[in-house]
C-alpha cells in the first residue's frame, strides 16, 4: 500500500489559535441559559455517584505516579562530600582519604502537565459514554496529584466560527471548520468542575445532549495543528518540564484535499 502513496508538500497556515477555542465559562453559560437546563443538571448529578466509584482507580493511579516519580528521583540521586570530618573514620586518615561525612543529594522531581483532546464526532456516539468516564478519571487523577491540565473536545459543530478563512492561500494545507471546546480545566473552581463533569456525563447520550453540543465531523488534523500551538503555550504558562498529550479518538480525520491549488 505504501508504494502507491502520493506525497505532497504544503505549508501549515498561520492563525490565532484563540479564535477557535470555546472557553469553559462560555460552555457552562450556554448550558445554564441557552438550553435553560441549569435546574436539570443540578438536580440530576451523576458525577457524585461516579466520583465515589472512581476513587479506587484514581487513588491507584496517584499511588503509581508517586512511586514512579520517587524511583526516578532516587535513580538520579548522587552522593556528595559535605566538607565535614566524619569522626568515626578519623582514625584511618593515614591510609584513606575518605574521612568526610557524605550526603545523598536527590534532585527535584520534574513538573508535569497533561493536555487532552476528545473526539466529538458522530462516529464516537456508541463509545462516548465510556470515553468520557475515562477522561474524567484522568482529570480526577490530575486534581489529586496537583497536575495542571486542559481538556478540549474537537468538533466541527458549535456555532459558525470559520477561523480558517484567512488560511485559504495557494500552497497552504486545507483546513476545515474546527472548534475546540475547553470542556474541563485545572483552572476551574470546584463547583465549575463538578458542574462540567455532571454535564458531560449527562450529555454522553443523544437523549440528553443539547443541540449546540451535537456531534459532527472529525477535524482531527485541525486539532493536531492547533495542539502544536496550544501545548508549547501551556508548558510555558505553568513552567512545566514534561507535558503529556492524549488524543481520545476512534479513528482518522474526515477526508480533505491536502493543499489549495491555483
Amino acid at each position: 500500500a505504501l508504494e502507491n502513496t502520493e506525497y505532497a508538500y504544503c505549508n501549515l497556515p498561520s492563525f490565532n489559535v484563540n479564535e477557535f477555542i470555546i472557553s469553559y465559562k462560555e460552555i457552562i453559560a450556554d448550558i445554564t441559559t441557552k438550553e435553560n437546563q441549569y435546574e436539570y443538571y443540578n438536580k440530576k448529578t451523576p458525577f457524585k455517584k461516579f466520583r465515589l466509584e472512581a476513587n479506587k482507580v484514581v487513588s491507584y493511579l496517584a499511588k503509581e505516579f508517586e512511586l514512579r516519580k520517587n524511583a526516578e528521583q532516587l535513580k538520579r540521586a548522587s552522593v556528595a562530600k559535605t566538607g565535614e570530618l566524619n569522626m568515626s573514620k578519623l582514625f584511618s586518615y593515614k591510609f584513606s582519604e575518605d574521612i568526610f561525612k557524605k550526603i545523598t543529594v536527590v534532585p527535584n522531581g520534574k513538573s508535569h502537565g497533561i493536555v487532552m483532546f476528545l473526539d466529538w464526532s458522530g462516529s464516537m456516539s456508541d463509545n462516548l459514554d465510556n470515553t468520557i468516564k475515562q477522561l474524567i478519571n484522568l482529570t480526577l487523577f490530575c486534581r489529586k496529584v496537583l497536575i495542571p491540565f486542559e481538556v478540549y473536545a474537537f468538533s466541527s459543530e458549535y456555532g459558525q466560527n470559520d477561523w480558517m478563512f484567512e488560511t485559504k492561500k495557494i500552497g497552504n494545507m486545507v483546513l476545515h471548520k474546527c472548534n475546540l471546546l475547553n470542556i474541563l480545566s485545572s483552572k476551574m473552581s470546584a463547583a465549575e468542575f463538578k458542574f462540567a463533569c455532571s454535564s458531560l456525563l449527562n450529555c454522553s447520550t443523544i437523549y440528553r445532549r443539547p443541540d449546540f453540543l451535537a456531534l459532527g465531523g472529525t477535524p482531527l488534523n485541525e486539532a493536531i495543528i492547533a495542539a502544536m500551538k496550544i501545548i508549547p503555550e501551556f508548558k510555558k504558562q505553568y513552567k512545566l518540564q514534561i507535558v503529556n498529550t492524549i488524543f481520545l479518538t476512534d479513528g482518522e480525520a474526515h477526508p480533505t484535499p491536502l493543499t489549495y491549488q491555483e
Side-chain angles (χ1 to χ4, degrees):
L2 291 177
E3 293 179 359
N4 298 321
T5 299
E6 180 182 351
Y7 291 94
Y9 298 91
C10 58
N11 301 315
L12 290 181
S14 177
F15 55 86
N16 181 0
V17 72
N18 293 318
E19 290 182 3
F20 59 104
I21 293 178
I22 313 297
S23 72
Y24 66 82
K25 289 187 179 295
E26 183 177 342
I27 296 169
I28 290 175
D30 281 343
I31 293 174
T32 58
T33 58
K34 185 182 292 186
E35 295 295 315
N36 195 25
Q37 292 186 340
Y38 180 84
E39 193 172 341
Y40 165 76
Y41 278 104
N42 274 272
K43 282 185 176 179
K44 194 169 184 177
T45 53
F47 178 57
K48 183 177 181 180
K49 179 182 177 182
F50 175 85
R51 190 168 197 167
L52 289 173
E53 294 173 348
N55 274 340
K56 185 176 181 180
V57 173
V58 172
S59 296
Y60 174 77
L61 290 174
K63 179 183 177 181
E64 286 296 307
F65 174 76
E66 294 297 340
L67 286 173
R68 291 172 185 269
K69 186 173 67 173
N70 291 337
E72 180 64 23
Q73 289 178 24
L74 289 174
K75 188 170 68 175
R76 292 183 288 114
S78 59
V79 177
K81 294 179 180 179
T82 64
E84 297 179 12
L85 291 174
N86 185 343
M87 302 307 293
S88 63
K89 291 187 175 183
L90 195 57
F91 71 92
S92 62
Y93 76 95
K94 288 185 178 181
F95 50 85
S96 175
E97 296 180 352
D98 188 16
I99 59 174
F100 293 95
K101 289 181 178 179
K102 295 181 180 180
I103 185 172
T104 300
V105 180
V106 180
N108 293 328
K110 292 184 177 181
S111 52
H112 295 253
I114 298 180
V115 181
M116 291 170 265
F117 295 86
L118 173 64
D119 186 345
W120 203 258
S121 65
S123 62
M124 286 287 291
S125 182
D126 292 339
N127 302 309
L128 197 58
D129 183 54
N130 286 330
T131 306
I132 285 176
K133 289 175 181 177
Q134 178 187 8
L135 178 74
I136 294 175
N137 272 340
L138 289 170
T139 59
L140 288 171
F141 157 74
C142 290
R143 287 171 66 89
K144 189 174 183 67
V145 297
L146 303 178
I147 289 177
F149 64 90
E150 295 292 348
V151 181
Y152 300 95
F154 55 92
S155 171
S156 62
E157 305 304 311
Y158 204 102
Q160 300 300 319
N161 293 351
D162 190 6
W163 56 268
M164 77 294 290
F165 178 78
E166 295 296 329
T167 72
K168 296 178 179 178
K169 297 179 181 178
I170 304 300
N172 274 2
M173 183 176 182
V174 175
L175 299 179
H176 290 295
K177 178 181 175 183
C178 173
N179 287 310
L180 292 180
L181 284 58
N182 189 197
I183 50 179
L184 292 171
S185 170
S186 55
K187 296 193 292 288
M188 286 177 163
S189 66
E192 288 172 332
F193 181 76
K194 176 183 176 183
F195 181 84
C197 288
S198 289
S199 300
L200 282 170
L201 289 168
N202 271 321
C203 73
S204 62
T205 65
I206 191 172
Y207 306 108
R208 299 175 182 171
R209 192 178 306 126
D211 290 341
F212 63 90
L213 286 176
L215 305 179
T218 311
L220 177 59
N221 290 335
E222 289 79 0
I224 292 172
I225 292 172
M228 293 166 64
K229 291 195 173 187
I230 290 172
I231 294 167
E233 184 59 34
F234 175 80
K235 186 176 183 179
K236 179 181 177 182
Q237 179 184 359
Y238 291 99
K239 299 179 180 179
L240 302 172
Q241 292 170 293
I242 297 176
V243 176
N244 289 289
T245 306
I246 301 172
F247 279 84
L248 297 107
T249 178
D250 64 346
E252 61 183 328
H254 51 217
T256 175
L258 193 56
T259 60
Y260 288 106
Q261 305 295 331
E262 293 189 63

